Amino acid sequence: MTPLNEPVKLPCGLVFPNRLVKAAMAESLAGSGNAPTPTFLEAYNQWGQGGWGGLLTGNVQVDVDHLGTPLDAAMHGEYSGKENNEALVGLWSQYATACQRHGTPSIVQLCHPGRQSLRVAGRRGVFAPTIAPSAIPLQLGDSMVQRLLSWLVFPPPREMTQGDIEKVTRQFVDASRLMADSGFSGVELHGAHGYLLDQFLNPKSNKRTDAYGGSAENRAKFVVDIIHAIRKVVPETFAIGIKLNSADHSSDSFEDTMTQIGLLMEAGIDFLEVSGGSYENPTMMGPEKSARTVAREAFFIEFATEARKRFPGLVLMLSGGFRTRAGAESAIKQNACDIIGIGRPAAVNPKLPLVFLDEKVSDEEAQMVLNRVPVPSFLRLIPLNVGAGLETKYYADQIKRFAMGLKTFVPGI
């Protein structure tokens, strides 16, 4: 039997029936209301029938004033409990049902973009600042033109006050309570890809001199406090995971990152997903790879392997680059991770596990090769990395296509 068919039990007791989990992707289907739409729900209904061990949703932003993109799903205000918010719970329960009606455990990825909120995304207004641990603007390049374009796309952030920190903590807790009351199996905090939690963890974006800055422990305090606060208000069986960056932490801060993982474990996380990249360095969309990395498939396996050595009891999910059953099996057999996260292939074939887990299907057939999304010649004139945005849009379009019953396509076809 392929090791991918083995179940994985989280510390909270939740069981994934196999090791293949649909990784989080931007669906861009929430509409102008920033809430699940019928097409949105149908996409998850299709994934729910796909044989996945679990589903991770795309970003659900904890504050509708601060969105990553204009079409993100989001919380619209405070949540004071099921009895006082029946309509709200009913709406999100439809989402949970769409994901789980076929028995697939589903985890909601909760996020705050911090300084990575587009100027046109969110209801704070196009001239209002974003928020961040420190008032360090996002820079998509070093030239004057790139700096100007960065300012036009992403408003400069203001440093968060203690009141801001307490408010965002409540927002993560409220969102977690709502997801638990709506019937989801857990939440994953997005602490990667340059979003707000990652901004606090990372010394490049966190220059604070108070209790939330400086040492590795201080930079992790915001995230650790959120985890403790969530654990107090959700059932013991409700999973709490976190997505953590590997690729944008330098060798100088590697030990700090290991220290922070230890703190996250002590706070009570049920799993850790290893990913990487940010808007400034979009490694999660696929780094430039050597022949060895291509053959291995997993983009961030070295980091995951080292984390496994340091924390053998930590349930690890590794996402980014898996395209074949053989590559996924190799990562499991190396003991680099417990769970395989698959993103873009799942946007083209929402039922991919039915192929990977069927041992009657040969290894040669159990794969999905994806080329880069081509960049139109006129966009190459823009002095910014537009490739990552095109990749995101392309696969969001494929999600919409299969949700509408249309054929999906791999890039270039």
Side-chain angles (χ1 to χ4, degrees), residues 199-218:
Q199 291 163 34
F200 270 87
L201 294 168
N202 194 332
K204 298 177 183 178
S205 49
N206 184 347
K207 303 298 183 183
R208 299 177 73 95
T209 57
D210 61 4
Y212 298 93
S215 67
E217 293 83 356
N218 283 5

Side-chain angles (χ1 to χ4, degrees), residues 31 51 94 115 148 179-180 257 292 390:
Q94 292 178 39
R115 66 177 184 170
L148 175 60
M179 299 311 152
T257 304
R292 176 171 169 268
L390 289 176

Side-chain angles (χ1 to χ4, degrees), residues 185-327:
S185 299
V187 294
E188 179 188 58
L189 307 182
H190 202 328
H193 300 177
Y195 292 122
L196 183 63
L197 301 188
D198 184 37
Q199 291 163 34
F200 270 87
L201 294 168
N202 194 332
K204 298 177 183 178
S205 49
N206 184 347
K207 303 298 183 183
R208 299 177 73 95
T209 57
D210 61 4
Y212 298 93
S215 67
E217 293 83 356
N218 283 5
R219 297 196 312 272
K221 175 177 168 53
F222 180 47
V223 184
V224 169
D225 288 351
I226 289 172
I227 294 170
H228 281 305
I230 292 172
R231 185 55 76 192
K232 291 178 181 178
V233 300
V234 297
E236 292 182 1
T237 54
F238 190 75
I240 302 175
I242 188 166
K243 180 183 290 186
L244 197 69
N245 255 20
S246 66
D248 66 349
H249 294 287
S250 67
S251 58
D252 293 339
S253 62
F254 180 81
E255 288 301 326
D256 281 3
T257 304
M258 291 295 123
T259 296
Q260 290 173 339
I261 291 176
L263 294 170
L264 296 171
M265 280 194 69
E266 291 174 7
I269 59 170
D270 291 291
F271 68 95
L272 184 145
E273 180 184 2
V274 178
S275 187
S278 65
Y279 285 11
E280 291 180 320
N281 178 27
T283 319
M284 64 282 194
M285 301 311 297
E288 294 300 320
K289 303 181 288 294
S290 65
R292 176 171 169 268
T293 307
V294 171
R296 187 188 59 222
E297 294 189 25
F299 295 158
F300 311 111
I301 198 168
E302 288 94 347
F303 184 94
T305 300
E306 183 60 27
R308 169 70 83 206
K309 291 178 184 177
R310 307 280 188 103
F311 308 102
L314 176 60
V315 176
L316 279 174
M317 175 176 170
L318 184 56
S319 301
F322 289 108
R323 300 291 180 265
T324 70
R325 177 170 65 199

Side-chain angles (χ1 to χ4, degrees), residues 72 117-118 136 160 172 205 227 229 241 289 295 299 337 370 396 405:
D72 287 342
S117 179
L118 294 168
I136 301 173
M160 291 172 67
F172 273 101
S205 49
I227 294 170
K289 303 181 288 294
F299 295 158
C337 61
L370 298 175

Side-chain angles (χ1 to χ4, degrees), residues 145-176:
V145 173
Q146 289 170 324
R147 288 177 179 272
L148 175 60
L149 290 174
S150 299
W151 181 88
L152 289 173
V153 176
F154 297 99
R158 63 173 177 81
E159 182 173 304
M160 291 172 67
T161 65
Q162 181 65 36
D164 293 325
I165 289 172
E166 293 171 1
K167 177 182 178 181
V168 174
T169 299
R170 288 195 303 272
Q171 289 171 330
F172 273 101
V173 173
D174 282 353
S176 299

